[in-house]
Amino acid sequence: MATSTTPEATAVGERAAQILRAMQAHPGYERLTSSSMKYSTCWATFTGYPLVSQWNLDTDAAPLLDEALKVLALKAAVFELTGGDEAAAELLVPAPVDEMIHAVLAQFTVMTRMQTDLGVVFPHATELERFDYVRGCATDDCYAAAGWGEQPLRYWLDAAEVDRRLAILNERYRGAGFAPNGRSHAHIFDEAVVA
């Protein structure tokens, strides 16, 4: 029976490190990473990557992709160790990392092959996502137990910092005619654009 409790961090970390190494050794890994990087024209939301200070696709995409792959390995380990508990596997992660996870999971064919070949499931349940990641939570413990060191704080933003940055961005979005979080605008594209 699923428990919705994160298993012991050492077990998750050890299994996640094995999964990540298996992903990296898989014949589809290069396609997965290069395809995820080519997805740049469809990646961005108003509430994920823009939270990164001085975000730059050229310099931030590769390190953020590394973080997304590590989180996918962690989530797969939790999913496996809990007997398929999606709620437990939906670890707390900051929005910029989650956005890159979506770019990776959009590579459906190669991810499906990788899951089948490796015998793991890379779970992702949007309805279970919560953006209340805080430093020192179970996700951090599992990440450290995998032997990956400390997360780059440039991308691993605490929920309070995310809220602070979103408030700044939403003020700027409003000035450009966008509703909060970029969820709507009133721009009419059939009319001439006035500079």
Side-chain angles (χ1 to χ4, degrees):
M1 177 106 193
T3 63
S4 293
T5 301
T6 305
E8 198 271 321
T10 302
V12 173
E14 288 173 0
R15 182 62 182 128
Q18 292 169 351
I19 292 169
L20 184 61
R21 286 192 298 272
M23 290 173 72
Q24 293 166 334
H26 189 273
Y29 183 75
E30 185 176 326
R31 178 179 172 204
L32 175 65
T33 56
S34 66
S35 296
S36 296
M37 301 287 272
K38 289 177 183 172
Y39 193 63
S40 61
T41 57
C42 300
W43 282 359
T45 66
F46 283 73
T47 60
Y49 299 136
L51 295 170
V52 176
S53 185
Q54 297 182 313
W55 164 256
N56 183 312
L57 178 64
D58 295 331
T59 56
D60 287 312
L64 198 50
L65 177 61
D66 288 342
E67 295 309 300
L69 294 173
K70 289 173 184 174
V71 170
L72 283 169
L74 288 171
K75 290 171 57 149
V78 171
F79 189 78
E80 181 179 295
L81 292 169
T82 59
D85 185 344
E86 282 187 276
E90 199 55 57
L91 299 173
L92 295 178
V93 296
V97 176
D98 184 69
E99 189 162 347
M100 182 60 88
I101 289 169
H102 286 245
V104 172
L105 293 177
Q107 311 316 311
F108 181 77
T109 304
V110 70
M111 285 301 290
T112 299
R113 286 184 182 140
M114 195 173 281
Q115 286 186 128
T116 300
D117 294 348
L118 301 180
V120 299
V121 173
F122 296 102
H124 189 76
T126 303
E127 77 276 11
L128 299 175
E129 287 181 324
R130 298 178 329 276
F131 292 105
D132 49 1
Y133 167 79
V134 292
R135 300 291 301 150
C137 69
T139 303
D140 292 358
D141 295 340
C142 295
Y143 188 106
W148 298 326
E150 190 169 335
Q151 300 101 317
L153 299 182
R154 176 169 176 74
Y155 311 114
W156 286 82
L157 304 171
D158 209 82
E161 181 61 11
V162 165
D163 290 345
R164 187 185 78 79
R165 292 182 185 195
L166 275 176
I168 293 167
L169 287 173
N170 279 324
E171 193 60 38
R172 293 180 181 171
Y173 295 154
R174 187 177 358 270
F178 291 91
N181 300 326
R183 290 201 164 92
S184 67
H185 66 72
H187 300 292
I188 300 171
F189 296 104
D190 293 337
E191 296 178 2
V193 177
V194 178

